Amino acid sequence: DRMQIKMCLPDHLPDTSRVHNTYSRWYSTLEVSKLIQEHESVYGKYDLIMITRLDLVWQKPLIFSFIQPYKFYTSNIIDGDAKLWGWPWTKLPELADHFFISNSDYMHRFSEMFMNLDEYTKPGRCTSWNSISSHMLTYWHLSELDITDIGFVMYWYKNTDIGDYAFIRHLTNIFEQ
């Protein structure tokens, strides 16, 4: 049995697992940010912070020496047609939400997305897919924060086990080793 916090959703969103999962994901990000800030209050700020999902399998090393602290980083996504997906490649207002890397100030501001979800998800605000989308919320929130210098590191091939990283659910041979 998993312990799951029941989120209080606004009336304009359906009570679905997709919506709850999205709220839960951004709540967790906020809580992680609070823990990091507690540590930083004693030991000083980190140069870079990386926040990532737990269900990723890294297949190639991420080279941090290329990361510039004044930028905000996420991943490139390659779709089934071997084309780059999302903003700025297709002008869709969405970014990968698999991991994020940036300086301490940017990451703590970004991690406050949970506190804005009720407002962002109102009709006519952030574009959504199937009621809510972390990809679209990521782009929207960064725009609202005026964090516009976005960089891309690593490649994920949508819903496959190839690329610089993959999701555990897409690996076909993970239990065969």
Side-chain angles (χ1 to χ4, degrees):
D1 229 7
R2 295 188 300 178
M3 176 91 159
Q4 181 70 40
I5 297 172
K6 180 77 170 156
M7 297 290 157
C8 294
L9 302 176
D11 292 337
H12 63 269
L13 287 174
D15 190 1
T16 64
S17 61
R18 179 179 175 80
V19 173
H20 277 280
N21 291 347
T22 302
Y23 267 69
S24 180
R25 184 265 168 90
W26 294 112
Y27 174 78
S28 297
T29 300
L30 177 63
E31 292 300 304
V32 165
S33 177
K34 289 177 184 177
L35 290 172
I36 294 168
Q37 287 178 64
E38 284 180 32
H39 184 83
E40 287 179 327
S41 71
V42 175
Y43 299 103
K45 287 186 177 185
Y46 288 106
D47 295 331
L48 292 172
I49 295 174
M50 179 177 185
I51 294 180
T52 182
R53 292 172 49 144
L54 295 174
D55 57 348
L56 300 184
V57 176
W58 300 96
Q59 301 184 127
K60 292 185 181 170
L62 175 56
I63 310 300
F64 282 90
S65 60
F66 294 109
I67 303 294
Q68 301 296 319
Y70 61 85
K71 291 180 94 162
F72 190 93
Y73 290 89
T74 187
S75 169
N76 278 304
I77 295 181
I78 307 294
D79 70 14
D81 296 325
K83 295 179 183 164
L84 285 165
W85 169 90
W87 181 91
W89 322 113
T90 60
K91 303 300 182 196
L92 294 171
E94 54 189 322
L95 290 165
D97 69 334
H98 308 151
F99 65 85
F100 308 104
I101 306 168
S102 196
N103 64 64
S104 179
D105 292 334
Y106 276 8
M107 287 305 290
H108 293 310
R109 288 175 56 212
F110 178 74
S111 295
E112 294 176 347
M113 179 162 352
F114 175 78
M115 298 183 318
N116 297 288
L117 288 177
D118 291 357
E119 183 65 30
Y120 289 174
T121 58
K122 284 182 178 175
R125 296 279 307 196
C126 179
T127 306
S128 67
W129 180 82
N130 203 7
S131 301
I132 198 164
S133 167
S134 281
H135 299 285
M136 293 171 182
L137 284 164
T138 294
Y139 179 84
W140 183 272
H141 188 52
L142 287 170
S143 296
E144 290 290 304
L145 296 173
D146 199 29
I147 298 174
T148 57
D149 198 352
I150 299 169
F152 298 90
V153 293
M154 310 292 280
Y155 287 91
W156 178 66
Y157 288 76
K158 204 169 185 180
N159 302 323
T160 70
D161 63 355
I162 62 174
D164 297 336
Y165 66 96
F167 286 96
I168 291 172
R169 68 179 179 265
H170 296 140
L171 295 180
T172 54
N173 63 352
I174 192 166
F175 296 109
E176 296 173 6
Q177 297 179 7

